[in-house]
mmCIF file with all atom_site columns, all heavy atoms in Angstrom:
data_model
loop_
_atom_site.group_PDB
_atom_site.id
_atom_site.type_symbol
_atom_site.label_atom_id
_atom_site.label_alt_id
_atom_site.label_comp_id
_atom_site.label_asym_id
_atom_site.label_entity_id
_atom_site.label_seq_id
_atom_site.pdbx_PDB_ins_code
_atom_site.Cartn_x
_atom_site.Cartn_y
_atom_site.Cartn_z
_atom_site.occupancy
_atom_site.B_iso_or_equiv
_atom_site.pdbx_formal_charge
_atom_site.auth_seq_id
_atom_site.auth_comp_id
_atom_site.auth_asym_id
_atom_site.auth_atom_id
_atom_site.pdbx_PDB_model_num
ATOM 1   N N   . TYR A 1 30 ? 84.454 164.951 160.885 1.00 87.00 ? 78  TYR A N   1
ATOM 2   C CA  . TYR A 1 30 ? 83.820 163.545 161.215 1.00 87.00 ? 78  TYR A CA  1
ATOM 3   C C   . TYR A 1 30 ? 84.686 162.779 162.124 1.00 87.00 ? 78  TYR A C   1
ATOM 4   O O   . TYR A 1 30 ? 84.215 162.123 163.078 1.00 87.00 ? 78  TYR A O   1
ATOM 5   C CB  . TYR A 1 30 ? 83.838 162.790 159.786 1.00 87.00 ? 78  TYR A CB  1
ATOM 6   C CG  . TYR A 1 30 ? 83.295 161.363 159.928 1.00 87.00 ? 78  TYR A CG  1
ATOM 7   C CD1 . TYR A 1 30 ? 81.913 161.220 160.246 1.00 87.00 ? 78  TYR A CD1 1
ATOM 8   C CD2 . TYR A 1 30 ? 84.081 160.281 159.663 1.00 87.00 ? 78  TYR A CD2 1
ATOM 9   C CE1 . TYR A 1 30 ? 81.392 159.898 160.295 1.00 87.00 ? 78  TYR A CE1 1
ATOM 10  C CE2 . TYR A 1 30 ? 83.544 159.045 159.805 1.00 87.00 ? 78  TYR A CE2 1
ATOM 11  C CZ  . TYR A 1 30 ? 82.179 158.763 160.083 1.00 87.00 ? 78  TYR A CZ  1
ATOM 12  O OH  . TYR A 1 30 ? 81.691 157.559 160.140 1.00 87.00 ? 78  TYR A OH  1
ATOM 13  N N   . ILE A 1 31 ? 86.017 162.770 161.978 1.00 85.00 ? 79  ILE A N   1
ATOM 14  C CA  . ILE A 1 31 ? 86.840 162.045 162.879 1.00 85.00 ? 79  ILE A CA  1
ATOM 15  C C   . ILE A 1 31 ? 86.824 162.661 164.278 1.00 85.00 ? 79  ILE A C   1
ATOM 16  O O   . ILE A 1 31 ? 86.790 161.951 165.225 1.00 85.00 ? 79  ILE A O   1
ATOM 17  C CB  . ILE A 1 31 ? 88.336 162.077 162.280 1.00 85.00 ? 79  ILE A CB  1
ATOM 18  C CG1 . ILE A 1 31 ? 88.441 161.182 161.121 1.00 85.00 ? 79  ILE A CG1 1
ATOM 19  C CG2 . ILE A 1 31 ? 89.312 161.470 163.325 1.00 85.00 ? 79  ILE A CG2 1
ATOM 20  C CD1 . ILE A 1 31 ? 89.720 161.055 160.378 1.00 85.00 ? 79  ILE A CD1 1
ATOM 21  N N   . LEU A 1 32 ? 86.905 163.946 164.395 1.00 86.00 ? 80  LEU A N   1
ATOM 22  C CA  . LEU A 1 32 ? 86.872 164.672 165.743 1.00 86.00 ? 80  LEU A CA  1
ATOM 23  C C   . LEU A 1 32 ? 85.539 164.303 166.462 1.00 86.00 ? 80  LEU A C   1
ATOM 24  O O   . LEU A 1 32 ? 85.515 164.219 167.670 1.00 86.00 ? 80  LEU A O   1
ATOM 25  C CB  . LEU A 1 32 ? 87.027 166.147 165.514 1.00 86.00 ? 80  LEU A CB  1
ATOM 26  C CG  . LEU A 1 32 ? 88.384 166.575 165.205 1.00 86.00 ? 80  LEU A CG  1
ATOM 27  C CD1 . LEU A 1 32 ? 88.591 168.074 165.010 1.00 86.00 ? 80  LEU A CD1 1
ATOM 28  C CD2 . LEU A 1 32 ? 89.458 166.196 166.298 1.00 86.00 ? 80  LEU A CD2 1
ATOM 29  N N   . ASP A 1 33 ? 84.451 164.301 165.595 1.00 88.00 ? 81  ASP A N   1
ATOM 30  C CA  . ASP A 1 33 ? 83.170 163.943 166.252 1.00 88.00 ? 81  ASP A CA  1
ATOM 31  C C   . ASP A 1 33 ? 83.184 162.523 166.828 1.00 88.00 ? 81  ASP A C   1
ATOM 32  O O   . ASP A 1 33 ? 82.672 162.239 167.936 1.00 88.00 ? 81  ASP A O   1
ATOM 33  C CB  . ASP A 1 33 ? 82.070 163.937 165.274 1.00 88.00 ? 81  ASP A CB  1
ATOM 34  C CG  . ASP A 1 33 ? 81.626 165.486 164.919 1.00 88.00 ? 81  ASP A CG  1
ATOM 35  O OD1 . ASP A 1 33 ? 82.003 166.338 165.715 1.00 88.00 ? 81  ASP A OD1 1
ATOM 36  O OD2 . ASP A 1 33 ? 80.963 165.733 163.903 1.00 88.00 ? 81  ASP A OD2 1
ATOM 37  N N   . LEU A 1 34 ? 83.786 161.559 166.111 1.00 86.00 ? 82  LEU A N   1
ATOM 38  C CA  . LEU A 1 34 ? 83.920 160.217 166.537 1.00 86.00 ? 82  LEU A CA  1
ATOM 39  C C   . LEU A 1 34 ? 84.755 160.135 167.788 1.00 86.00 ? 82  LEU A C   1
ATOM 40  O O   . LEU A 1 34 ? 84.454 159.414 168.775 1.00 86.00 ? 82  LEU A O   1
ATOM 41  C CB  . LEU A 1 34 ? 84.431 159.347 165.448 1.00 86.00 ? 82  LEU A CB  1
ATOM 42  C CG  . LEU A 1 34 ? 83.553 158.988 164.278 1.00 86.00 ? 82  LEU A CG  1
ATOM 43  C CD1 . LEU A 1 34 ? 84.301 158.261 163.161 1.00 86.00 ? 82  LEU A CD1 1
ATOM 44  C CD2 . LEU A 1 34 ? 82.311 158.240 164.735 1.00 86.00 ? 82  LEU A CD2 1
ATOM 45  N N   . LEU A 1 35 ? 85.874 160.959 167.773 1.00 83.00 ? 83  LEU A N   1
ATOM 46  C CA  . LEU A 1 35 ? 86.852 160.791 168.955 1.00 83.00 ? 83  LEU A CA  1
ATOM 47  C C   . LEU A 1 35 ? 86.123 161.476 170.137 1.00 83.00 ? 83  LEU A C   1
ATOM 48  O O   . LEU A 1 35 ? 86.526 161.074 171.323 1.00 83.00 ? 83  LEU A O   1
ATOM 49  C CB  . LEU A 1 35 ? 88.121 161.579 168.570 1.00 83.00 ? 83  LEU A CB  1
ATOM 50  C CG  . LEU A 1 35 ? 89.015 160.854 167.578 1.00 83.00 ? 83  LEU A CG  1
ATOM 51  C CD1 . LEU A 1 35 ? 90.158 161.747 167.250 1.00 83.00 ? 83  LEU A CD1 1
ATOM 52  C CD2 . LEU A 1 35 ? 89.580 159.559 168.191 1.00 83.00 ? 83  LEU A CD2 1
ATOM 53  N N   . SER A 1 36 ? 85.344 162.403 170.041 1.00 84.00 ? 84  SER A N   1
ATOM 54  C CA  . SER A 1 36 ? 84.769 163.103 171.217 1.00 84.00 ? 84  SER A CA  1
ATOM 55  C C   . SER A 1 36 ? 83.518 162.317 171.576 1.00 84.00 ? 84  SER A C   1
ATOM 56  O O   . SER A 1 36 ? 82.962 162.676 172.768 1.00 84.00 ? 84  SER A O   1
ATOM 57  C CB  . SER A 1 36 ? 84.314 164.466 170.814 1.00 84.00 ? 84  SER A CB  1
ATOM 58  O OG  . SER A 1 36 ? 83.355 164.550 169.703 1.00 84.00 ? 84  SER A OG  1
ATOM 59  N N   . ASP A 1 37 ? 83.122 161.343 170.975 1.00 82.00 ? 85  ASP A N   1
ATOM 60  C CA  . ASP A 1 37 ? 81.910 160.498 171.395 1.00 82.00 ? 85  ASP A CA  1
ATOM 61  C C   . ASP A 1 37 ? 82.364 159.801 172.726 1.00 82.00 ? 85  ASP A C   1
ATOM 62  O O   . ASP A 1 37 ? 83.473 159.348 172.827 1.00 82.00 ? 85  ASP A O   1
ATOM 63  C CB  . ASP A 1 37 ? 81.560 159.592 170.296 1.00 82.00 ? 85  ASP A CB  1
ATOM 64  C CG  . ASP A 1 37 ? 80.206 158.963 170.471 1.00 82.00 ? 85  ASP A CG  1
ATOM 65  O OD1 . ASP A 1 37 ? 80.076 158.012 171.346 1.00 82.00 ? 85  ASP A OD1 1
ATOM 66  O OD2 . ASP A 1 37 ? 79.225 159.457 170.020 1.00 82.00 ? 85  ASP A OD2 1
ATOM 67  N N   . LYS A 1 38 ? 81.355 159.483 173.510 1.00 81.00 ? 86  LYS A N   1
ATOM 68  C CA  . LYS A 1 38 ? 81.688 158.813 174.826 1.00 81.00 ? 86  LYS A CA  1
ATOM 69  C C   . LYS A 1 38 ? 81.869 157.369 174.606 1.00 81.00 ? 86  LYS A C   1
ATOM 70  O O   . LYS A 1 38 ? 82.348 156.603 175.506 1.00 81.00 ? 86  LYS A O   1
ATOM 71  C CB  . LYS A 1 38 ? 80.484 159.117 175.807 1.00 81.00 ? 86  LYS A CB  1
ATOM 72  C CG  . LYS A 1 38 ? 79.237 158.515 175.379 1.00 81.00 ? 86  LYS A CG  1
ATOM 73  C CD  . LYS A 1 38 ? 78.084 158.818 176.410 1.00 81.00 ? 86  LYS A CD  1
ATOM 74  C CE  . LYS A 1 38 ? 76.754 158.291 176.001 1.00 81.00 ? 86  LYS A CE  1
ATOM 75  N NZ  . LYS A 1 38 ? 75.757 158.583 177.150 1.00 81.00 ? 86  LYS A NZ  1
ATOM 76  N N   . PHE A 1 39 ? 81.416 156.834 173.451 1.00 83.00 ? 87  PHE A N   1
ATOM 77  C CA  . PHE A 1 39 ? 81.439 155.320 173.244 1.00 83.00 ? 87  PHE A CA  1
ATOM 78  C C   . PHE A 1 39 ? 82.775 155.021 172.590 1.00 83.00 ? 87  PHE A C   1
ATOM 79  O O   . PHE A 1 39 ? 83.285 155.610 171.689 1.00 83.00 ? 87  PHE A O   1
ATOM 80  C CB  . PHE A 1 39 ? 80.391 154.800 172.304 1.00 83.00 ? 87  PHE A CB  1
ATOM 81  C CG  . PHE A 1 39 ? 78.968 155.027 172.983 1.00 83.00 ? 87  PHE A CG  1
ATOM 82  C CD1 . PHE A 1 39 ? 78.071 156.041 172.522 1.00 83.00 ? 87  PHE A CD1 1
ATOM 83  C CD2 . PHE A 1 39 ? 78.561 154.284 173.957 1.00 83.00 ? 87  PHE A CD2 1
ATOM 84  C CE1 . PHE A 1 39 ? 76.795 156.213 173.007 1.00 83.00 ? 87  PHE A CE1 1
ATOM 85  C CE2 . PHE A 1 39 ? 77.311 154.352 174.498 1.00 83.00 ? 87  PHE A CE2 1
ATOM 86  C CZ  . PHE A 1 39 ? 76.442 155.376 174.060 1.00 83.00 ? 87  PHE A CZ  1
ATOM 87  N N   . ILE A 1 40 ? 83.455 153.962 173.246 1.00 84.00 ? 88  ILE A N   1
ATOM 88  C CA  . ILE A 1 40 ? 84.793 153.542 172.718 1.00 84.00 ? 88  ILE A CA  1
ATOM 89  C C   . ILE A 1 40 ? 84.673 153.022 171.273 1.00 84.00 ? 88  ILE A C   1
ATOM 90  O O   . ILE A 1 40 ? 85.683 153.137 170.443 1.00 84.00 ? 88  ILE A O   1
ATOM 91  C CB  . ILE A 1 40 ? 85.304 152.438 173.607 1.00 84.00 ? 88  ILE A CB  1
ATOM 92  C CG1 . ILE A 1 40 ? 86.813 152.180 173.336 1.00 84.00 ? 88  ILE A CG1 1
ATOM 93  C CG2 . ILE A 1 40 ? 84.559 151.240 173.553 1.00 84.00 ? 88  ILE A CG2 1
ATOM 94  C CD1 . ILE A 1 40 ? 87.749 153.285 173.680 1.00 84.00 ? 88  ILE A CD1 1
ATOM 95  N N   . GLU A 1 41 ? 83.639 152.468 170.892 1.00 84.00 ? 89  GLU A N   1
ATOM 96  C CA  . GLU A 1 41 ? 83.414 151.947 169.517 1.00 84.00 ? 89  GLU A CA  1
ATOM 97  C C   . GLU A 1 41 ? 83.668 153.187 168.481 1.00 84.00 ? 89  GLU A C   1
ATOM 98  O O   . GLU A 1 41 ? 84.149 152.911 167.443 1.00 84.00 ? 89  GLU A O   1
ATOM 99  C CB  . GLU A 1 41 ? 82.113 151.310 169.291 1.00 84.00 ? 89  GLU A CB  1
ATOM 100 C CG  . GLU A 1 41 ? 81.902 150.004 170.013 1.00 84.00 ? 89  GLU A CG  1
ATOM 101 C CD  . GLU A 1 41 ? 81.625 150.067 171.480 1.00 84.00 ? 89  GLU A CD  1
ATOM 102 O OE1 . GLU A 1 41 ? 81.429 151.287 172.027 1.00 84.00 ? 89  GLU A OE1 1
ATOM 103 O OE2 . GLU A 1 41 ? 81.699 149.118 172.262 1.00 84.00 ? 89  GLU A OE2 1
ATOM 104 N N   . SER A 1 42 ? 83.165 154.302 168.901 1.00 86.00 ? 90  SER A N   1
ATOM 105 C CA  . SER A 1 42 ? 83.339 155.520 167.878 1.00 86.00 ? 90  SER A CA  1
ATOM 106 C C   . SER A 1 42 ? 84.702 155.841 167.734 1.00 86.00 ? 90  SER A C   1
ATOM 107 O O   . SER A 1 42 ? 85.183 156.158 166.706 1.00 86.00 ? 90  SER A O   1
ATOM 108 C CB  . SER A 1 42 ? 82.466 156.646 168.510 1.00 86.00 ? 90  SER A CB  1
ATOM 109 O OG  . SER A 1 42 ? 81.139 156.422 168.657 1.00 86.00 ? 90  SER A OG  1
ATOM 110 N N   . LYS A 1 43 ? 85.604 155.674 168.818 1.00 84.00 ? 91  LYS A N   1
ATOM 111 C CA  . LYS A 1 43 ? 86.918 156.006 168.764 1.00 84.00 ? 91  LYS A CA  1
ATOM 112 C C   . LYS A 1 43 ? 87.665 154.941 167.931 1.00 84.00 ? 91  LYS A C   1
ATOM 113 O O   . LYS A 1 43 ? 88.593 155.309 167.133 1.00 84.00 ? 91  LYS A O   1
ATOM 114 C CB  . LYS A 1 43 ? 87.561 156.139 170.102 1.00 84.00 ? 91  LYS A CB  1
ATOM 115 C CG  . LYS A 1 43 ? 86.990 157.205 170.997 1.00 84.00 ? 91  LYS A CG  1
ATOM 116 C CD  . LYS A 1 43 ? 87.561 157.197 172.398 1.00 84.00 ? 91  LYS A CD  1
ATOM 117 C CE  . LYS A 1 43 ? 87.158 158.411 173.173 1.00 84.00 ? 91  LYS A CE  1
ATOM 118 N NZ  . LYS A 1 43 ? 85.731 158.673 173.244 1.00 84.00 ? 91  LYS A NZ  1
ATOM 119 N N   . VAL A 1 44 ? 87.209 153.773 167.951 1.00 86.00 ? 92  VAL A N   1
ATOM 120 C CA  . VAL A 1 44 ? 87.815 152.650 167.180 1.00 86.00 ? 92  VAL A CA  1
ATOM 121 C C   . VAL A 1 44 ? 87.526 152.891 165.562 1.00 86.00 ? 92  VAL A C   1
ATOM 122 O O   . VAL A 1 44 ? 88.300 152.770 164.745 1.00 86.00 ? 92  VAL A O   1
ATOM 123 C CB  . VAL A 1 44 ? 87.329 151.284 167.607 1.00 86.00 ? 92  VAL A CB  1
ATOM 124 C CG1 . VAL A 1 44 ? 87.795 150.229 166.551 1.00 86.00 ? 92  VAL A CG1 1
ATOM 125 C CG2 . VAL A 1 44 ? 87.699 150.968 168.908 1.00 86.00 ? 92  VAL A CG2 1
ATOM 126 N N   . GLU A 1 45 ? 86.328 153.443 165.405 1.00 88.00 ? 93  GLU A N   1
ATOM 127 C CA  . GLU A 1 45 ? 85.841 153.729 164.043 1.00 88.00 ? 93  GLU A CA  1
ATOM 128 C C   . GLU A 1 45 ? 86.704 154.910 163.502 1.00 88.00 ? 93  GLU A C   1
ATOM 129 O O   . GLU A 1 45 ? 87.067 154.923 162.344 1.00 88.00 ? 93  GLU A O   1
ATOM 130 C CB  . GLU A 1 45 ? 84.352 154.077 164.034 1.00 88.00 ? 93  GLU A CB  1
ATOM 131 C CG  . GLU A 1 45 ? 83.933 154.312 162.569 1.00 88.00 ? 93  GLU A CG  1
ATOM 132 C CD  . GLU A 1 45 ? 82.305 154.643 162.506 1.00 88.00 ? 93  GLU A CD  1
ATOM 133 O OE1 . GLU A 1 45 ? 81.644 154.428 163.597 1.00 88.00 ? 93  GLU A OE1 1
ATOM 134 O OE2 . GLU A 1 45 ? 81.934 155.202 161.496 1.00 88.00 ? 93  GLU A OE2 1
ATOM 135 N N   . ALA A 1 46 ? 87.001 155.918 164.403 1.00 84.00 ? 94  ALA A N   1
ATOM 136 C CA  . ALA A 1 46 ? 87.855 157.029 163.998 1.00 84.00 ? 94  ALA A CA  1
ATOM 137 C C   . ALA A 1 46 ? 89.200 156.559 163.533 1.00 84.00 ? 94  ALA A C   1
ATOM 138 O O   . ALA A 1 46 ? 89.750 157.017 162.566 1.00 84.00 ? 94  ALA A O   1
ATOM 139 C CB  . ALA A 1 46 ? 87.945 157.989 165.172 1.00 84.00 ? 94  ALA A CB  1
ATOM 140 N N   . ALA A 1 47 ? 89.779 155.618 164.367 1.00 84.00 ? 95  ALA A N   1
ATOM 141 C CA  . ALA A 1 47 ? 91.022 155.083 164.023 1.00 84.00 ? 95  ALA A CA  1
ATOM 142 C C   . ALA A 1 47 ? 91.051 154.343 162.683 1.00 84.00 ? 95  ALA A C   1
ATOM 143 O O   . ALA A 1 47 ? 91.974 154.512 161.861 1.00 84.00 ? 95  ALA A O   1
ATOM 144 C CB  . ALA A 1 47 ? 91.583 154.190 165.144 1.00 84.00 ? 95  ALA A CB  1
ATOM 145 N N   . SER A 1 48 ? 90.012 153.548 162.439 1.00 85.00 ? 96  SER A N   1
ATOM 146 C CA  . SER A 1 48 ? 89.909 152.776 161.213 1.00 85.00 ? 96  SER A CA  1
ATOM 147 C C   . SER A 1 48 ? 89.851 153.813 159.951 1.00 85.00 ? 96  SER A C   1
ATOM 148 O O   . SER A 1 48 ? 90.389 153.564 158.942 1.00 85.00 ? 96  SER A O   1
ATOM 149 C CB  . SER A 1 48 ? 88.723 151.919 161.164 1.00 85.00 ? 96  SER A CB  1
ATOM 150 O OG  . SER A 1 48 ? 88.772 150.988 162.247 1.00 85.00 ? 96  SER A OG  1
ATOM 151 N N   . VAL A 1 49 ? 88.991 154.839 160.128 1.00 82.00 ? 97  VAL A N   1
ATOM 152 C CA  . VAL A 1 49 ? 88.865 155.909 159.114 1.00 82.00 ? 97  VAL A CA  1
ATOM 153 C C   . VAL A 1 49 ? 90.183 156.516 158.775 1.00 82.00 ? 97  VAL A C   1
ATOM 154 O O   . VAL A 1 49 ? 90.600 156.627 157.609 1.00 82.00 ? 97  VAL A O   1
ATOM 155 C CB  . VAL A 1 49 ? 87.766 156.877 159.380 1.00 82.00 ? 97  VAL A CB  1
ATOM 156 C CG1 . VAL A 1 49 ? 87.789 158.035 158.386 1.00 82.00 ? 97  VAL A CG1 1
ATOM 157 C CG2 . VAL A 1 49 ? 86.414 156.299 159.540 1.00 82.00 ? 97  VAL A CG2 1
ATOM 158 N N   . LEU A 1 50 ? 90.940 156.883 159.893 1.00 81.00 ? 98  LEU A N   1
ATOM 159 C CA  . LEU A 1 50 ? 92.214 157.550 159.654 1.00 81.00 ? 98  LEU A CA  1
ATOM 160 C C   . LEU A 1 50 ? 93.200 156.651 159.032 1.00 81.00 ? 98  LEU A C   1
ATOM 161 O O   . LEU A 1 50 ? 93.971 157.075 158.156 1.00 81.00 ? 98  LEU A O   1
ATOM 162 C CB  . LEU A 1 50 ? 92.755 158.039 161.045 1.00 81.00 ? 98  LEU A CB  1
ATOM 163 C CG  . LEU A 1 50 ? 93.903 158.936 161.075 1.00 81.00 ? 98  LEU A CG  1
ATOM 164 C CD1 . LEU A 1 50 ? 93.700 160.270 160.236 1.00 81.00 ? 98  LEU A CD1 1
ATOM 165 C CD2 . LEU A 1 50 ? 94.293 159.321 162.470 1.00 81.00 ? 98  LEU A CD2 1
ATOM 166 N N   . GLY A 1 51 ? 93.147 155.362 159.405 1.00 80.00 ? 99  GLY A N   1
ATOM 167 C CA  . GLY A 1 51 ? 94.072 154.451 158.800 1.00 80.00 ? 99  GLY A CA  1
ATOM 168 C C   . GLY A 1 51 ? 93.745 154.271 157.299 1.00 80.00 ? 99  GLY A C   1
ATOM 169 O O   . GLY A 1 51 ? 94.649 154.079 156.479 1.00 80.00 ? 99  GLY A O   1
ATOM 170 N N   . THR A 1 52 ? 92.508 154.349 156.986 1.00 81.00 ? 100 THR A N   1
ATOM 171 C CA  . THR A 1 52 ? 92.051 154.062 155.565 1.00 81.00 ? 100 THR A CA  1
ATOM 172 C C   . THR A 1 52 ? 92.704 155.262 154.646 1.00 81.00 ? 100 THR A C   1
ATOM 173 O O   . THR A 1 52 ? 93.051 155.074 153.531 1.00 81.00 ? 100 THR A O   1
ATOM 174 C CB  . THR A 1 52 ? 90.544 154.190 155.480 1.00 81.00 ? 100 THR A CB  1
ATOM 175 O OG1 . THR A 1 52 ? 90.020 153.158 156.298 1.00 81.00 ? 100 THR A OG1 1
ATOM 176 C CG2 . THR A 1 52 ? 90.075 154.057 154.033 1.00 81.00 ? 100 THR A CG2 1
#
Side-chain angles (χ1 to χ4, degrees):
Y78 179 69
I79 291 176
L80 287 174
D81 283 345
L82 290 173
L83 288 174
S84 61
D85 194 281
K86 63 180 180 180
F87 296 107
I88 190 69
E89 290 78 9
S90 297
K91 293 176 173 56
V92 174
E93 186 179 344
S96 299
V97 172
L98 189 57
T100 301

